[in-house]
């Protein structure tokens, strides 16, 4: 088993490039984007020029062909300074581009994947509805055939990347019939953002991820053409589950990056801040907490790399991706809490970066499978009769 976890030259270079880019072009603006809810489109375009928006996609489709380990490294570096930028990239690549690469026709890949991989556009995936998130069989958005096209009706909730100036399409799950008593036939459709009857609503007011675009989407007699279905009719659940496996590796990498950012802020502060005549790092209550955090970050990162390496080698990673996301997202919440405690009163001030990390961490335990659903997935893979 090759599990040295030694980055190769290309991966090291990518990590360094993104560290520099994140420090120079993102970190100085992150607080302001967060405060004003500004979607940083020019930064996303620049990440496209660096190849980040197409890292795991083949060169033939505008990508870099670098694999999921590189993608995880990139997301870690971005989330280390700004989770909103990281989730914009993660959602476009994992939820927007990856299903088109895996299930799209050649024409769909050329039309939707190539500009996305170059960072000229971003993509979205809409499964969640106002009445349903974890229970994907509870879908109520419908699609019916009409002439040579399809008509969609329904509402999607909490969808990332659907309403920005870069947004180009939203892959949408919809019921197209019945598979048997009480079992919906679910299909997926690539809905262009300029489709007739498609209406992204105003951005939500969220607890965190303020610079990431999240909206409710209304489909009212939304007409899409004959080439809109992604994969064959009834394959929606398969498309969705495959999308989640890679998506969860990305969210897990974001958890590692956010925790790493919290750790670095805390180490700096612990060495600078004095109490009772010494830097607070001198007190083991502080230094042991940070030492343990470092060990837990290393463990979560190893889980992310394991899932990414297995996926790159073509293996099914349902359990490994769920485990990586479960551990890394819960760790991110813990790390933000530790960072705030170590910073004391200053950590509660918006002037420090800590409240932003704190607000951005929690969603990682909810999106793309809550922690409870991830445990359900792992339990099933273990053969438990859940
Ligand atoms: C900022 C943000 C961005 C998002 N982006 C997207 C996106 O781009 N695309 C998209 O489709 N969705 C998106 N979502 C939606 C997200 O994936 C869902 O919120 C998530 O899957 C949980 O679904 P829910 O909110 O309906 O919660 P529910 O499914 O209603 O769950 C509520 C609670 O019940 C628990 N629960 C439910 N079922 C079980 C069970 N069987 N056993 C144990 N516990 C259970 C859950 O773990 C949770 O704690 C986003 C959400 C947010 C907040």
């Amino acid at each position: 088993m090759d599990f040295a976890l030694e980055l190769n030259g290309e991966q090291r270079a990518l990590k360094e490039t993104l560290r520099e880019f994140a420090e120079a072009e993102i970190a100085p603006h992150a607080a302001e984007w967060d405060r004003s809810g500004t979607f940083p489109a020019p930064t996303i375009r620049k990440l496209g020029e660096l190849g980040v928006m197409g890292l795991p996609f083949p060169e033939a489709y505008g990508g870099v062909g670098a694999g999921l380990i590189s993608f995880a490294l990139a997301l870690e570096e971005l989330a280390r300074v700004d989770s909103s930028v990281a989730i914009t990239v993660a959602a476009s690549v994992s939820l927007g581009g990856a299903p088109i690469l895996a299930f799209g026709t050649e024409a769909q890949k050329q039309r939707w994947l190539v500009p996305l991989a170059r960072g000229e556009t971003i993509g979205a995936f809409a499964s969640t509805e106002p009445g349903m998130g974890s229970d994907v069989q509870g879908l109520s958005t419908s699609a019916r055939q009409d002439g040579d096209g399809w008509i969609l009706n329904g509402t999607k909730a909490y969808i990332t990347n659907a309403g920005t100036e870069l947004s180009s399409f939203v892959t949408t799950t919809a019921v197209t019939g019945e598979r048997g008593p009480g079992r919906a036939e679910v299909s997926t459709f690539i809905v262009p953002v300029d489709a007739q009857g498609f209406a992204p609503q105003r951005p939500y007011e969220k607890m965190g991820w303020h610079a990431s675009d999240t909206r409710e989407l209304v489909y009212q007699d939304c007409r899409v053409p004959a080439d809109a279905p992604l994969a064959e009719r009834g394959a929606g659940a398969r498309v969705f589950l495959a999308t989640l496996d890679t998506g969860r590796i990305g969210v897990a990498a974001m958890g590692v990056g956010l925790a790493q950012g919290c750790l670095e802020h805390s180490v700096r502060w612990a060495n600078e801040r004095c109490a009772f005549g010494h830097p607070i790092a001198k007190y083991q209550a502080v230094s042991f907490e940070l030492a343990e955090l470092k060990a837990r970050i290393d463990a979560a990162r190893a889980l992310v790399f394991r899932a990414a390496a297995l996926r790159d080698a073509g293996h099914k990673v349902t359990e490994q991706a769920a485990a990586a996301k479960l551990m890394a997202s819960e760790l991110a919440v813990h790390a933000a809490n530790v960072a705030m405690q170590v910073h004391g009163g200053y950590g509660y001030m918006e002037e420090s970066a800590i409240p932003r990390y704190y607000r951005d961490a929690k969603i990682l335990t909810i999106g793309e499978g809550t922690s409870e659903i991830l445990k359900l997935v792992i339990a099933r893979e273990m053969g438990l009769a859940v």
Side-chain angles (χ1 to χ4, degrees):
M1 182 181 189
D2 179 8
F3 211 62
L5 289 186
E6 179 121 345
L7 301 182
N8 66 32
E10 265 175 39
Q11 290 162 342
R12 270 200 307 277
L14 172 77
K15 191 175 167 66
E16 276 167 30
T17 304
L18 278 175
R19 173 73 56 108
E20 281 167 24
F21 181 84
E23 288 294 339
E25 307 254 353
I26 300 175
H29 310 290
E32 175 49 29
W33 292 339
D34 179 66
R35 213 173 357 256
S36 59
T38 302
F39 176 76
T43 306
I44 300 301
R45 284 201 192 91
K46 283 187 197 165
L47 284 167
E49 286 161 21
L50 288 175
V52 174
M53 305 306 285
L55 262 182
F57 303 137
E59 289 176 31
Y61 298 116
V64 172
L68 280 181
I69 291 190
S70 296
F71 184 51
L73 284 171
L75 288 178
E76 182 184 333
E77 288 305 319
L78 295 174
R80 178 179 158 272
V81 301
D82 188 335
S83 290
S84 289
V85 171
I87 186 57
T88 303
V89 175
S92 186
V93 172
S94 309
L95 304 182
I100 302 224
L101 177 68
F103 298 98
T105 62
E106 183 58 29
Q108 287 171 333
K109 289 175 193 169
Q110 291 297 337
R111 177 163 178 204
W112 302 111
L113 183 58
V114 170
L116 178 151
R118 291 188 186 134
E120 296 158 8
T121 63
I122 57 173
F125 193 100
S127 164
T128 309
E129 302 185 353
M132 168 295 282
S134 306
D135 177 14
V136 289
Q137 271 289 317
L139 205 64
S140 65
T141 295
S142 66
R144 64 179 164 81
Q145 225 152 1
D146 182 69
D148 61 354
W150 291 80
I151 304 266
L152 275 73
N153 276 292
T155 303
K156 296 291 182 179
Y158 319 134
I159 306 306
T160 305
N161 279 357
T164 77
E165 62 192 272
L166 299 179
S167 304
S168 64
F169 68 92
V170 183
T171 300
T172 302
T173 54
V175 176
T176 44
E178 268 193 21
R179 285 217 143 140
R183 286 198 62 222
E185 178 195 74
V186 179
S187 305
T188 18
F189 298 85
I190 304 171
V191 178
V193 293
D194 59 1
Q196 185 192 323
F198 174 71
Q201 305 297 295
R202 287 178 41 210
Y204 290 98
E205 287 182 22
K206 306 191 291 279
M207 171 182 174
W209 281 4
H210 288 159
S212 151
D213 184 76
T214 321
R215 296 171 196 253
E216 184 173 274
L217 309 177
V218 174
Y219 304 70
Q220 193 169 18
D221 292 329
C222 172
R223 174 175 289 280
V224 290
D227 63 357
L230 179 66
E232 71 275 13
R233 182 171 177 160
R238 194 157 54 87
V239 172
F240 184 60
L241 292 179
T243 301
L244 282 180
D245 279 355
T246 42
R248 284 172 182 161
I249 296 173
V251 175
M254 286 180 57
V256 172
L258 187 148
Q260 179 70 30
C262 289
L263 178 68
E264 291 176 27
H265 278 285
S266 302
V267 168
R268 259 194 315 273
W269 183 262
N271 282 329
E272 281 167 13
R273 176 72 176 178
C274 287
F276 302 97
H278 299 285
I280 57 171
K282 179 118 181 119
Y283 305 115
Q284 290 184 345
V286 173
S287 57
F288 279 18
E289 187 78 89
L290 296 181
E292 188 180 334
L293 182 56
K294 162 90 169 58
R296 287 178 64 180
I297 292 171
D298 286 348
R301 187 182 287 116
L303 285 180
V304 173
F305 285 165
R306 177 184 72 158
L310 286 171
R311 185 75 187 79
D312 280 343
H315 295 284
K316 177 172 174 277
V317 291
T318 303
E319 181 186 336
Q320 291 84 356
K325 181 183 178 282
L326 175 64
M327 301 310 282
S329 62
E330 296 289 346
L331 173 65
V333 174
H334 170 72
N337 195 35
V338 167
M340 189 162 288
Q341 197 66 21
V342 167
H343 281 74
Y346 183 61
Y348 200 69
M349 298 297 122
E350 289 288 344
E351 183 192 331
S352 78
I354 308 305
R356 180 165 55 83
Y357 284 98
Y358 197 87
R359 287 186 275 102
D360 286 347
K362 186 58 197 167
I363 177 60
L364 298 174
T365 71
I366 295 171
E368 296 194 43
T370 63
S371 291
E372 293 76 19
I373 293 300
L374 296 175
K375 288 177 198 172
L376 206 63
V377 168
I378 295 167
R380 268 195 201 123
E381 294 290 318
M382 289 165 65
L384 290 163
V386 287

